[in-house]
């Protein structure tokens, strides 16, 4: 597998350290109030685990699965819910946990969706932010790492559903997808 992976960009240890910092910050920001973490399947699984372990608050968790129409590398802005919440989030503090914010379409949609369900607060916690890809303006509350506009894999992120199990973040070699 390693011959298709360009470079290791962020190590597992760096990610763990960042999750610990962000967990502390979330606790502070929520003033000890309970929180619902909502992980977006499938890319957020490993990052979700890191945030869960490091956030010392009363917590419940849930997951949603969404897909955006378009190819693997270009999204269209139309978001479809494949698995909805099982939790009633009315009046709750919600943090959406996502793998990467690129165009911003997915999170822009989800934030509106959660607000329409009368959550008390809705915040966003992403492992990676790719600001150069942004098509809609969106406030991201917690960012693990900011990355350049390249195709990232590993630590939950896929290319064609592969590489999610890499225990670090890497850059896919251009010849794999061009
Ligand atoms: P957005 O709606 O364009 O912000 O897209 C977010 C989704 O696109 C993420 O949840 C990923 O599934 C996918 N995505 C965007 N950039 C990358 C990347 O570099 N590697 C892997 N997946 C990506
Ligand atoms: Mg994906």
């Amino acid at each position: 597998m390693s011959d298709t992976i360009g470079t290791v960009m962020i190590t597992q240890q760096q990610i763990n350290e960042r999750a610990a910092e962000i967990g502390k910050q979330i606790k502070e920001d929520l003033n000890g109030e309970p929180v619902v973490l909502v992980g977006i399947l499938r890319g957020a699984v490993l990052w979700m685990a890191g945030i869960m372990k490091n956030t010392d608050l009363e917590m419940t968790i849930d997951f949603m699965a969404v897909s955006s129409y378009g190819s693997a590398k270009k999204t269209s802005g139309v978001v479809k819910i494949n698995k909805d919440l099982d939790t009633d989030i009315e009046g709750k503090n919600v943090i959406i946990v996502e793998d990467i914010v690129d165009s911003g379409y997915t999170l822009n949609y989800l934030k509106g969706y959660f607000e329409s369900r009368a959550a008390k607060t809705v915040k966003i916690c992403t492992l990676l932010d790719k600001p150069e890809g942004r098509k809609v303006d969106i406030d991201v509350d917690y960012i693990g790492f900011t990355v350049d506009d390249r195709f990232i894999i590993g630590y939950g992120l896929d290319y064609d559903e592969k590489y999610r199990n890499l225990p670090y973040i890497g850059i896919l070699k251009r010849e794999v997808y061009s």
Side-chain angles (χ1 to χ4, degrees), residues 26 30 33-40 60 62 64 85 87-97 110-111 113-115 117-125 141-142:
I26 290 173
L30 286 181
E33 289 183 22
V35 64
V36 184
L37 288 193
V38 178
I40 307 305
T60 57
D62 202 345
M64 278 182 83
L85 292 173
T87 309
D88 180 7
I89 57 165
E90 189 179 334
K92 309 251 175 82
N93 297 303
V94 175
I95 298 181
I96 309 172
V97 182
L110 286 173
K111 205 166 181 195
Y113 181 73
F114 286 24
E115 282 163 357
R117 294 197 156 198
K120 181 180 180 191
T121 60
V122 182
K123 291 185 176 184
I124 294 171
C125 173
D141 304 275
Y142 307 103

Side-chain angles (χ1 to χ4, degrees), residues 63-81:
F63 293 93
M64 278 182 83
V66 297
S67 50
S68 40
Y69 294 100
S71 69
K73 300 203 292 91
K74 279 275 163 287
T75 54
S76 61
V78 183
V79 176
K80 176 172 167 253
I81 295 177

Side-chain angles (χ1 to χ4, degrees), residues 111-138:
K111 205 166 181 195
Y113 181 73
F114 286 24
E115 282 163 357
S116 76
R117 294 197 156 198
K120 181 180 180 191
T121 60
V122 182
K123 291 185 176 184
I124 294 171
C125 173
T126 186
L127 170 57
L128 301 171
D129 181 26
K130 212 194 258 186
E132 286 166 59
R134 208 68 98 247
K135 297 272 195 285
V136 286
D137 215 15
I138 177 156

